[in-house]
Amino acid sequence: MRRLALLGGEPAFATALHVGRPNIGDRERFFAYANQMFDSRRLTNSGPLVEEFEQELCRFLGVKHCIPVCNATAGLQIAIRSLGMQGEVIMPSFTFIATAHALQWQGITPVFADIDPQTYTLDPDAVEASITPRTTGIIGVHLWGRSCDVDGLARVASRHNLKLLYDAAHAFGCGYRGRMLGTFGDAEVFSFHATKFFNTFEGGAISTEDDAPADLIRLQTDFGFSGYDKVESIGTNGKMTEVAAAMGLTNLASLDHFISANLHNYQTYQRVLADIPGLTLITDDSAECSNYQYVIVDVDAAKAGLSRDTLLRVLHAENVLARRYFWPGCHEQEPYRTLYPEAGQRLPHTRHVAERVLTLPTGTAVGPQEIESIGDILRTAVASLPRRRE
Ligand SMILES: *Cc1c(COP(=O)(O)O)cnc(C)c1O
């Protein structure tokens, strides 16, 4: 049995194994796009590469509009404003902080509703129970690429005349019942940040079937300009650059490779973790097609004999930089913790799940040997640590 680095052994990895190391497509293809960009002297402002990327995104998703933006946080801010959300908007606390910030940044109160512990996404009943006269919208998060209960949320939204937006930052390439995520609600926002399944260095996109918000989104992404010297609305700078689109076009051509690498890793984890007591790989039965970008382990501390956080320390000592996506919930971070100190009382499932889950490294930078080693570390920790301590 190996000697754990936490107990003084050599770390299993000399260099750190991060969660979310970028998936990078064919370099020569990227350089060819970059040359086109330099030749055209168009670096930004809806150049030819961004236009081509936009068309490819629409085709891939099967959606009418998919407007590239500089990152998903700006994309969320623009989508929220374009849909006319104000007052209060209901969202999960179990998400990355940007979902909440995109609301609070523009003076909208994020109202945190609980997740369904079976699906890990926003519970439509909890949403309904959180509605007040000030509520104008719902933001569902397709956490780890798992589809929200899109039917349940659509019913609540239409019953109460609320706008429905999805934070699809994790969900590029994922689907639900034969439809790609990105085609649901009033609009959806993807992140193409370097750590996400599909990246444009930094970037994102807002997808919608409806022309009216699409027009507003385009205006607001470019300072409200509708032509030379003509400003029609308030706007910001949310534009995607040409070099980002070059990366996007490059990586689109490698999507199948990214997915098969992730799937293979996922299956390797399934095999390697199967016999470790207390550790359960969370499977995704909600989506018919997944990008397998998030390998999530549920740690049952009673059965494993040690906590999620002890396992995290064990892994970090070995240079395996596992993450707690997401801990703590947004409601426990500032400014929400101070502004809405009671929020946690309505979030028992969020608090429970956030204490147990661990995200392990995958992607094209990780292979079966690394996963076997991670399995050995976890197996050793669960078999030997409980007896030594606590
Ligand atoms: C990464 C992420 C964002 C922010 O995306 P950026 O492109 O980095 O701005 C928003 N929401 C969730 C759930 C994320 O994981």
Side-chain angles (χ1 to χ4, degrees), residues 71-73 76 95-96 98-99 141 167 169-170 191 193 196 203 326:
N71 61 59
T73 307
L76 284 166
T95 176
F96 182 58
T99 325
V141 179
D167 178 337
H170 297 180
S191 172
H193 181 257
K196 303 302 204 273
F326 288 96

Side-chain angles (χ1 to χ4, degrees), residues 204-236:
I206 309 170
S207 58
T208 177
E209 288 294 341
D210 302 333
D211 297 336
D215 289 345
L216 254 185
I217 288 162
R218 282 181 213 285
L219 279 174
Q220 294 190 357
T221 300
D222 188 19
F223 309 103
F225 276 110
S226 62
Y228 285 121
D229 309 326
K230 182 153 185 248
V231 174
E232 296 219 1
S233 75
I234 188 169
T236 183

Side-chain angles (χ1 to χ4, degrees), residues 243-379:
V243 72
M247 187 66 160
L249 288 164
T250 302
N251 284 340
L252 272 182
S254 295
L255 274 191
D256 289 346
H257 165 60
F258 298 163
I259 292 189
S260 63
N262 274 356
L263 176 58
H264 188 239
N265 285 347
Y266 180 82
Q267 289 166 339
T268 308
Y269 271 117
Q270 249 176 341
R271 179 170 51 72
V272 161
L273 300 179
D275 62 341
I276 308 181
L279 303 197
T280 311
L281 192 63
I282 294 179
T283 54
D284 188 357
D285 40 14
S286 70
E288 273 161 17
C289 70
S290 173
N291 57 25
Y292 299 98
Q293 179 72 358
Y294 295 89
V295 173
I296 310 286
V297 177
D298 174 89
V299 182
D300 182 332
K303 289 199 187 124
L306 75 184
S307 69
R308 184 272 310 267
D309 288 347
T310 303
L311 275 182
L312 185 77
R313 281 209 308 281
V314 166
L315 288 169
H316 279 214
E318 305 285 350
N319 248 335
V320 178
L321 302 189
R323 301 294 302 268
R324 292 173 285 193
Y325 288 158
F326 288 96
W327 177 91
C330 295
H331 69 284
E332 294 190 47
Q333 307 261 27
E334 295 298 352
Y336 313 106
R337 189 190 170 88
T338 301
L339 287 174
Y340 319 116
E342 314 288 301
Q345 291 170 11
R346 289 177 287 110
L347 304 169
H349 299 307
T350 297
R351 284 161 45 202
H352 179 74
V353 172
E355 293 287 330
R356 299 167 59 106
V357 290
L358 199 55
T359 306
L360 298 175
T362 185
T364 51
V366 177
Q369 274 180 337
E370 280 105 352
I371 295 171
E372 294 283 352
S373 300
I374 293 170
D376 285 347
I377 295 165
L378 293 170
R379 193 173 302 107

Side-chain angles (χ1 to χ4, degrees), residues 116 118-122 140-153 166-168 170-171 174-177 179-182 184 188 284-290:
D116 175 333
Q118 246 69 59
T119 66
Y120 304 96
T121 58
L122 197 53
V141 179
H142 300 307
L143 190 85
W144 310 325
R146 301 169 65 100
S147 169
C148 286
D149 178 354
V150 288
D151 302 321
L153 291 175
Y166 287 106
D167 178 337
H170 297 180
C174 299
Y176 175 75
R177 294 200 183 155
R179 259 170 79 181
M180 298 303 278
L181 300 188
F184 293 94
E188 303 211 36
D284 188 357
D285 40 14
S286 70
E288 273 161 17
C289 70
S290 173

